[in-house]
Amino acid sequence: MGVWWWKLLFAILAGIISSSELCASQNDPKYRFTQNATSAAEISYYDYIIIGGGTAGCPLAATLSEKYSVLVLERGGSPYGNPNITNLTSFGAALSDTSPTSPAQRFISQDGVINSRARVLGGGTCLNAGFYTRTSPQYVREAGWDGRLVNESYLWVEKVVAFEPDVQQWQSGVRDGLLEIGVLPNNGFTYDHIYGTKVGGTIFDHHGDRHSAADLLQYANPTSITVLLHATVHRIMFRTKGVSRPRAHGVVFRDASGRKHKAYLKHGSKNEIIVSAGALGSPQLLMLSGIGPADHLRAHNIRITLDQPWVGQGMSDNPMNAIFVPSPVPVEVSLIQVVGITNFGSYIEAAGGENFAGGSTTDYGMLSPKIGQLSTVPPKQRTQEALSKAIESMESVDKTAFRGGFILEKVIGPISTGHLELKTRDPNENPLVTFNYFQDPQDLERCVKGLSIVEKVIESKAFSQFKYPNMPISVLRNLTASAPVNLLPKHTNSSLSLEQFCKDTVMTIWHYHGGCHVGKVVDRDYKVIGVDALRVIDGSTFNYSPGTNPQATVMMLGRYMGVKILNERLVASAAESLDDRTSIQENKY
Ligand SMILES: Cc1cc2nc3c(=O)[nH]c(=O)nc-3n(C[C@H](O)[C@H](O)[C@H](O)COP(=O)(O)OP(=O)(O)OC[C@H]3O[C@@H](n4cnc5c(N)ncnc54)[C@H](O)[C@@H]3O)c2cc1C
Ligand SMILES: *[C@@H]1O[C@H](CO)[C@@H](O)[C@H](O)[C@H]1NC(C)=O
Ligand SMILES: *[C@@H]1O[C@H](CO)[C@@H](O)[C@H](O)[C@H]1NC(C)=O
Ligand SMILES: *[C@@H]1O[C@H](CO)[C@@H](O)[C@H](O)[C@H]1NC(C)=O
Ligand SMILES: *[C@@H]1O[C@H](CO)[C@@H](O)[C@H](O)[C@H]1NC(C)=O
Ligand SMILES: *[C@@H]1O[C@H](CO)[C@@H](O)[C@H](O)[C@H]1NC(C)=O
Ligand SMILES: *[C@@H]1O[C@H](CO)[C@@H](O)[C@H](O)[C@H]1NC(C)=O
């Protein structure tokens, strides 16, 4: 056979490969199994339907697809190919985009703090600051989780999305400052949650590219998973006839053109619908499906499936307060890399670089008003007008004013809780949520103690090169609360107490959680109490935020519960086949 034959074969193969790649790229640059919901069937059937392709939903779906057919319904689009999401240095670009198609949906809690929730495949891991760290063994014990499976699940996640950061001068200064003032020991680089100071992991790789929970879908069985994008679930359907209690059996969702679709569970007593729509989305969707406080549902004309007063209760957001420290020398761009884990319930972290302070017009810092962070006016005064004004004055200030970084303090827990209510019956609209920051005096005390650690770090020898020598703490505090972004004299009281500083400058670190607590709305297996074939698996089930930052544990939980569900079914089907055999034998005799 001549060479031409091989050349021809090669050409044909190359043609096939490139044309199939072309097909795939019409849907998603990364996965063939994602498609626009507009092209979905009007009615379809699966073993598992997962609502929300977020931080918990993606690892959960990938795992269940090993053995079963899985449908993921995600209201947002794909993160791939969008530099606002994938690029570390554009952190905040998505958060500052308030259009209806933005991957970030802004919301303002009733407390007045501006916040954001994900609307994209990969969920919060596509918007977040990337810091990756496990929770403590004590948290694992209290959650009643199996420690070995927890560790295996963390490893499964870390293999794909976690990296060691490149720690440079400014972050090293923060770390050494923490060590100098006694946040000890030095735990080096570790994912583990231990008292002292450490460098944690990050989901940004060494090129500054983000690896979100959507990357965990590479573990999925591509022949048994379907991911629909721009698919907003409106409600879960329940069967009530011929069953002892309501049984979830399908969902109604709409595509981007508003067309209605239905997906049902295939027959099989073990098949389930799993809600992973996040701390705002999950309680909201349960309510829209008739599971919630009866009076509240009635007020919105929602047919009651189950009167469940706990749905939407126990909403919490960890308060974050920060001090901005202008630097006489340039500061590298960094999101969170170092954390001080104190033994009094306060975590110290930092983000540095001009653009993260909000100084660049193209970039959007972690504490910039462009993304809704407005520490310069008390929460209730953070109106759109105040925000626009802050952005305007920020843009008029000399850029060198933003050289430096923020050292922040986050309160553990928190103990203070609030609640969530529907505003309307439209799932696209944010529900009303109240977090009651600092309602519990312990939260306030931890904030004050945390801030005094921050101040000590700023005054440490190790950090001294990143601080102007003639700028005492009182001026820095004032700077954070009053300037440079908002030059109005808000805090003329020069002896502004730390308590007042905590309340006036409170921001979110976006670790909000709750609304479907374990023991209240779901049982320890995350099954919704009082109905069948329905679970909630995501951050809405947490009483307290896990670790110093939650994403590692949310992803872990998705994997963990996926494995548990697969194992349970394996055991159940083994028992069934054993039963079958015994009954056959019994029939013989
Ligand atoms: C800006 C920011 C910075 C953060 N920084 C860090 C950090 O550095 N480190 C860290 O550990 N954590 C960080 N976090 C927190 C962490 O990312 C979140 O706690 C976590 O991602 C929440 O996961 P979840 O699965 O509970 O919800 P999500 O990841 O939000 O998943 C919910 C998904 O459900 C979808 N959904 C909701 N309703 C519907 C519906 N009706 N139909 C279809 N789909 C629906 C949403 O679009 C979303 O994709 C940060 C968060 C943010 C926003
Ligand atoms: C999917 O639908 C959305 C919303 O209509 C649209 O913006 C997007 O371009 C569509 N993507 C593809 C690949 O068709
Ligand atoms: C990420 O952003 C930086 C700074 O804006 C830019 O130099 C770089 O090219 C971007 N990378 C990608 C892949 O877009
Ligand atoms: C990126 O963010 C900017 C600023 O928020 C926004 O204007 C732009 O449309 C976004 N681009 C994409 C692809 O989402
Ligand atoms: C899980 O790993 C942590 C360290 O990350 C360790 O402290 C703990 O003992 C491990 N648990 C089990 C059950 O192996
Ligand atoms: C704080 O700022 C205000 C307004 O700029 C100013 O009047 C006040 O004197 C400052 N206090 C301190 C301690 O710097
Ligand atoms: C200034 O703050 C201190 C400490 O919080 C407080 O005791 C004092 O009453 C305040 N003064 C004014 C004028 O508000």
Side-chain angles (χ1 to χ4, degrees), residues 580-589:
D580 289 350
R581 251 180 306 173
T582 358
S583 56
I584 291 165
Q585 279 171 357
E586 276 164 0
N587 286 345
K588 267 197 200 161
Y589 296 101

Side-chain angles (χ1 to χ4, degrees), residues 26-27 36 230 256:
Q26 276 171 358
N27 287 325
N36 230 346
H230 306 289

Side-chain angles (χ1 to χ4, degrees), residues 328-403:
V329 295
V331 167
E332 81 269 8
V333 168
S334 66
L335 288 170
I336 298 161
Q337 297 181 332
V338 168
V339 62
I341 302 180
T342 69
N343 53 18
F344 54 80
S346 178
Y347 303 130
I348 317 300
E349 303 178 350
E354 197 173 291
N355 58 348
F356 288 157
S360 151
T361 46
T362 52
D363 292 296
Y364 313 85
M366 239 186 100
L367 291 101
S368 158
K370 286 184 188 164
I371 69 166
Q373 297 287 45
L374 191 58
S375 63
T376 52
V377 289
K380 300 271 189 196
Q381 299 172 28
R382 295 177 193 170
T383 56
Q384 187 53 52
E385 202 189 357
L387 206 57
S388 309
K389 214 158 161 183
I391 293 168
E392 205 178 294
S393 53
M394 187 179 79
E395 280 171 348
S396 70
V397 170
D398 191 82
K399 297 304 165 238
T400 54
F402 298 102
R403 198 161 65 191

Side-chain angles (χ1 to χ4, degrees), residues 2 9 16 31 67 69 94 139 206 212 231 235 245 252 275 293 302 326 337 341 414 459 461 504 531 570:
L9 185 65
I16 290 169
Y31 301 115
K67 293 266 172 60
S69 63
Y139 191 100
H206 299 282
S212 75
R235 67 187 163 90
R245 54 188 202 165
V252 178
V275 185
I302 295 168
Q337 297 181 332
I341 302 180
E459 285 174 331
K461 226 186 282 150
D504 284 355
V531 301
L570 208 64

